[in-house]
Every structure is written in C-alpha cells, then in structure tokens.
Amino acid sequence: LSLEQVDILWHCLVEDAECYDDALHWFLNQVRSKDQHAMGMETYKHLFLEKMPQLKPETISMTGLNLFQHLCNLARLATSTLDNASSCELCGMDQLWGIALRAQSADISRAAIQYINSYYINAGKTGLEKEQEFIRKCIESLLMASANLEKEAHSSLTSIERGLLMLKTHLEAFRRRFAYHLRQWQIEGTGISSHLKALSDKQSLPLRIVCQPAGLPDKMTIEMYPSDQVADLRAEVTHWYENLQKEQMNQQAQLQEFGQSGRQQGDFPGGLMGPVRMISSGHELTTDYDEKTLHELGFKDMQMVFVSLGAPRRERKGEGIQLPASCLPPPQKEHIPMLLLLQEPHLTTLFDLLEMLACFKPPSPNTEKLQDSPESARCEELHLHAENLSRRVWELLMLLPTCPKMLQAFQNISDETNGEGLCWKELLRIKSPHKLLYALEIIEALGKPNRRIHRESTVRET
C-alpha cells in the first residue's frame, strides 16, 4: 500500500466509530506478523508519526494501545542502529504518558503504565539511564494535575492517582529487578532500605535455609523471609561462599584449577571463580528465578540448598530478552529512583501534594435543600477520593529511604551543641502535620536500639 492508500483507509475506517477497532486490529496484525506484506517500514513510520497522534489518549482502545506499543518497539529498533542511539528520544513517548494518565479505561491506563515502567528501567545499554527523566516527568505530571485541582477536580484526581500508581509500581519493579545488588549493599552496610522498614520489623515468620557447599563439610543456616526473592538468597549465599572460599583457599586446589580456564578473577563478585549455583528440591535456581519470591517457589523452613560454583552461562540472545540483574554490574547510585525522589524539590513536592489532598474540599452547595442532591453526593465522593490519594502519597513516602538531611540533623543533636545551628521550626513543622509526624517517626526510630549492631558488639566483647 502507498502512503496515500493508507491515509484513505485511515480516513474511511479508523475515523468511523463503527469500524474503528476492527481497522486498528488489521493494522496491528500487519505490524505484528512478518508474513503480512501490505505495509513496509516507510508506511509504519508514517502511521507512527502522522496517524497515531490523532487518536485521543482519553478514548483510545486497548487495540490502539497495542498497535502503538508495537510501533514504539519498531521505532526503538530503528534508532538503536544509529550512532547517536543514546541521545535518540523514543518518539511517541509523550502520547504514551497521556494514555497512562488520562485514559478513561483503568485497564488501558495500567497497560500503558506497565510499558512505560519497563521502558525506563531497561533504557540504554546499562539500563536506568533515563531514571532522572522518568522521575522528573512523574513529578511534573503531579504538579500539573494539582494546579488544576480546583477547576477540574475529577480529571485532576484521576491523573494524580495514575501518577502515584506509576511511581509506586516503578519503585516496586526496580526493587524486584535489582534485589541482588540491593541485598549486597545491605550486607556491606550501605543498604537502601525504606523508611517504613527502618521503623518496624517484618511481621512474617522467618524461614531457615540450610546451605551445603559441594565437597565441603561446612553448613550454614541463613534466615530469610517468604517475601524475599531468590536474588536476595543468591546475594547472601554469594557473600557467605566468598568468605568461605577465603578461609578454605589452601584446601581447595580443585577450585583454583577450575578457575584457570581463561576466566579473569574479577569477573565475579568477591573474586569468585564462577557464578554461584544453587540447587534445591532437585531443581537449579537459575538467574531466571531471581525475581520470584521464596513463597512462590514453595520454600519450607530448614530447606536444604546445595551450593557450588559453575561455568558462566552463555549470554542469551534475542529480541527483548534482558539479562538478570545479578549478571549485570550494580546500578549507579545517581540513577536509583528512590534516591532521586529524596532530592529537592521532589520530596517537598510530595509533602505539599500530601497536605493539599488531605485538606481538599470541593465547593459544596450552599442551600440546605440541596444537601441530598446528586451534586452534594458527588462533592463528598471527590473529597473521599482526595483523602484516599493523600494516604497513597504517604505510602509512597514510606517506600523511600528516610530523608538523610532530617535524619542527620536529629542524629547531630547533643548537649554540647546546645542546639546551636539547628532550626527547630524547619525540623518540626507544627503547621504541617504530616511533616511533623514524619519527623517524630525519625526521632522514635533513633530511640530504638539497633538489634543487628547490638548483637555484633556482644560477639566482639565475648
């Protein structure tokens, strides 16, 4: 088909409400299947740049979104071959953001959010290269929606709800994908834990995992939780095996011989001569299982895991296949979304949004006669929606690490300083109840003994 013929098809079918979805489905089949020959790359480009932007984000169908995502993938593949691929922005991303935030259908919005999250977490050669842009765009969308809250309450609250969902699911996806490195940092004492986790212990009962290294009498029991991932277990086992290998180096000549098969010592964490392999209940826990929780895999208390070192698996090839994070270098701290959200002005924006939603009251009918009217019921519904969203902002803040500036300020308080250089009005905001509660939680957490540190010091004393 020529571009003109595609334009005619679009005008006659896609712009007709009755044929809209069927026509888009035909276009989708053309893009999806290599056996279809009605359209070529030039036609796809024309469709992507000229035709798809005509579809309104509010009313786009799931078929339209699927077509758009396939065209986005084609555009990404086309730009990845260019020399300036890293600086090439993915065309159409703005429209996807519009669909995610403003689509009338919640299912279509969620599908767009999932695509955007996946794109930003895996952007670039090393991944996470566009995290700063993602956080900035999320905060901007929240600010724009909150600015229109008084004029268009319903649509603004919907946009805020979608923006918060996008941020929350993004942080959760990041934690799942990079659980191995996050646990490694935690073991080293430089972990990035959430504010809520720092305040309270986990409620579920721990699982004891018994690790048995191949050819050695040593056994170790690791305490894990059912909600922990295989990547968390892999990080703990790697750290333990690394220390064990240092102690047993003289007795492990066979491992040294194994390591001389052309691999460099620095290829694996801690100078191990290969990746750690784990076998439990007759199945190898490969890196493909890293994002699964121990509960999902049916781990029981005192379950045995056999540990050995193995040859590294060949890199998997194919479109859209990502390597597990444990096979990649650790992410750079400046690209970690939780730490980016802690920076100003993002943190202040979230607290301001929290206060605004908690205090939001839509203009209600003045006369008593109208109190039972549909308008009054709608106002009450909007008020409850805003209150619910304020709780979601608080939940999002709990997923972030404790604000380092506030934590440091409270840690530095001592009798010698007499409070000099401290601005108490800044630390304890009486007019902002949520910031005051947050500050009091930090003080409460500082008052609790750190069990891990206490336990280690007791061992040293004995």
Side-chain angles (χ1 to χ4, degrees):
L1 295 174
S2 67
L3 298 186
E4 190 183 351
Q5 288 168 328
V6 169
D7 285 344
I8 293 167
L9 270 177
W10 187 276
H11 176 67
C12 294
L13 301 176
V14 177
E15 291 176 17
D16 183 286
E18 199 175 331
C19 314
Y20 167 81
D21 226 39
D22 290 328
L24 287 178
H25 196 265
W26 183 83
F27 280 115
L28 176 61
N29 283 339
Q30 294 296 320
V31 178
R32 200 159 42 185
S33 174
K34 291 178 182 177
D35 298 331
Q36 307 289 337
H37 305 290
M39 300 169 75
M41 284 306 291
E42 272 302 308
T43 332
Y44 294 145
K45 188 177 176 183
H46 177 67
L47 200 64
F48 183 52
L49 296 175
E50 303 297 331
K51 294 297 170 191
M52 292 305 292
Q54 294 175 17
L55 301 178
K56 290 182 179 178
E58 290 83 358
T59 55
I60 197 167
S61 67
M62 190 63 88
T63 310
L65 177 62
N66 286 337
L67 172 59
F68 199 69
Q69 288 174 349
H70 274 82
L71 290 169
C72 280
N73 291 337
L74 278 179
R76 199 190 304 181
L77 287 172
T79 55
S80 65
T81 56
L82 302 174
D83 294 333
N84 62 342
S86 58
S87 62
C88 272
E89 290 298 322
L90 179 61
C91 299
M93 212 63 201
D94 284 341
Q95 191 172 3
L96 271 173
W97 278 85
I99 295 167
L101 296 169
R102 302 199 301 274
Q104 288 172 1
S105 164
D107 290 339
I108 291 170
S109 168
R110 275 195 291 270
I113 286 171
Q114 194 174 357
Y115 184 89
I116 290 170
N117 278 339
S118 174
Y119 167 69
Y120 279 102
I121 281 183
N122 300 301
K125 291 177 183 175
T126 58
L128 301 178
E129 288 173 13
K130 293 182 180 287
E131 281 300 307
Q132 288 174 324
E133 180 192 317
F134 172 79
I135 297 296
R136 179 180 55 77
K137 290 189 85 161
C138 272
I139 296 295
E140 280 176 5
S141 67
L142 289 173
L143 281 170
M144 282 175 64
S146 59
N148 290 330
L149 199 54
E150 296 294 334
K151 295 177 188 174
E152 300 171 3
H154 181 72
S155 60
S156 295
L157 287 173
T158 302
S159 287
I160 290 170
E161 182 177 2
R162 305 273 175 78
L164 292 173
L165 179 66
M166 194 183 297
L167 273 173
K168 187 170 184 281
T169 51
H170 191 79
L171 296 184
E172 288 168 349
F174 176 87
R175 282 197 180 276
R176 277 197 307 275
R177 175 135 172 76
F178 292 95
Y180 178 81
H181 298 298
L182 290 170
R183 179 58 75 110
Q184 285 273 18
W185 288 339
Q186 192 181 327
I187 294 166
E188 292 162 11
T190 57
I192 301 170
S193 63
S194 68
H195 178 73
L196 187 66
K197 209 170 183 182
L199 292 173
S200 59
D201 297 322
K202 291 189 178 180
Q203 298 300 312
S204 55
L205 291 170
L207 294 173
R208 289 165 296 176
I209 310 294
V210 182
C211 297
Q212 168 74 64
L216 289 174
D218 307 66
K219 278 186 186 177
M220 190 193 70
T221 305
I222 302 174
E223 270 198 5
M224 304 292 290
Y225 288 89
S227 58
D228 286 332
Q229 293 172 210
V230 171
D232 290 306
L233 179 62
R234 192 180 305 284
E236 292 281 357
V237 168
T238 302
H239 178 74
W240 164 67
Y241 209 111
E242 180 188 314
N243 291 336
L244 186 68
Q245 195 182 32
K246 285 172 186 173
E247 294 168 10
Q248 304 278 346
M249 195 62 81
N250 297 330
Q251 303 165 20
Q252 303 222 357
Q254 70 271 24
L255 279 179
Q256 289 179 348
E257 288 168 11
F258 176 76
Q260 290 167 3
S261 58
R263 281 189 297 281
Q264 298 295 316
Q265 192 167 352
D267 285 353
F268 302 98
L272 290 176
M273 300 303 177
V276 167
R277 296 178 66 186
M278 302 186 295
I279 296 168
S280 186
S281 303
H283 295 284
E284 181 172 355
L285 300 173
T286 61
T287 49
D288 297 335
Y289 288 100
D290 275 2
E291 292 190 27
K292 299 273 187 189
T293 64
L294 301 182
H295 174 71
E296 283 177 291
L297 295 180
F299 264 71
K300 303 286 189 290
D301 191 35
M302 298 302 287
Q303 184 153 328
M304 183 74 81
V305 173
F306 296 96
V307 182
S308 64
L309 292 181
R313 297 175 76 191
R314 288 184 180 179
E315 190 173 316
R316 294 174 297 175
K317 292 179 181 178
E319 287 181 16
I321 292 178
Q322 279 113 26
L323 281 173
S326 56
C327 301
L328 298 171
Q332 294 175 312
K333 294 278 177 90
E334 61 267 24
H335 290 156
I336 293 175
M338 286 82 83
L339 299 183
L340 288 171
L341 276 171
L342 279 181
Q343 294 173 7
E344 293 299 346
H346 302 330
L347 190 65
T348 301
T349 301
L350 288 176
F351 270 111
D352 290 346
L353 181 66
L354 178 58
E355 300 286 344
M356 183 188 290
L357 290 167
C359 304
F360 176 69
K361 287 184 181 177
S364 53
N366 295 324
T367 56
E368 292 179 11
K369 291 179 182 178
L370 293 174
Q371 280 185 355
D372 297 327
S373 69
E375 186 66 28
S376 178
R378 187 172 171 275
C379 287
E380 183 62 24
E381 189 182 320
L382 290 172
H383 173 62
L384 291 172
H385 192 187
E387 269 194 347
N388 182 34
L389 291 183
S390 72
R391 282 194 287 275
R392 292 199 193 178
V393 181
W394 182 257
E395 286 167 10
L396 181 66
L397 286 166
M398 294 299 101
L399 289 175
L400 307 180
T402 304
C403 174
K405 189 179 174 184
M406 291 177 75
L407 182 63
Q408 195 175 4
F410 286 122
Q411 281 175 331
N412 291 341
I413 295 171
S414 63
D415 294 332
E416 288 79 14
T417 60
N418 294 321
E420 288 176 17
L422 286 169
C423 184
W424 286 101
K425 286 185 180 178
E426 281 293 313
L427 291 174
L428 300 173
R429 299 281 186 89
I430 297 170
K431 290 183 180 178
S432 171
H434 296 95
K435 278 191 177 178
L436 179 60
L437 177 61
Y438 189 82
L440 292 173
E441 282 189 347
I442 296 173
I443 295 169
E444 184 187 1
L446 288 171
K448 289 180 179 178
N450 190 324
R451 291 179 184 178
R452 175 171 281 189
I453 293 170
H454 180 69
R455 222 177 15 241
E456 286 175 358
S457 63
T458 310
V459 170
R460 284 197 196 100
E461 283 165 16
T462 54

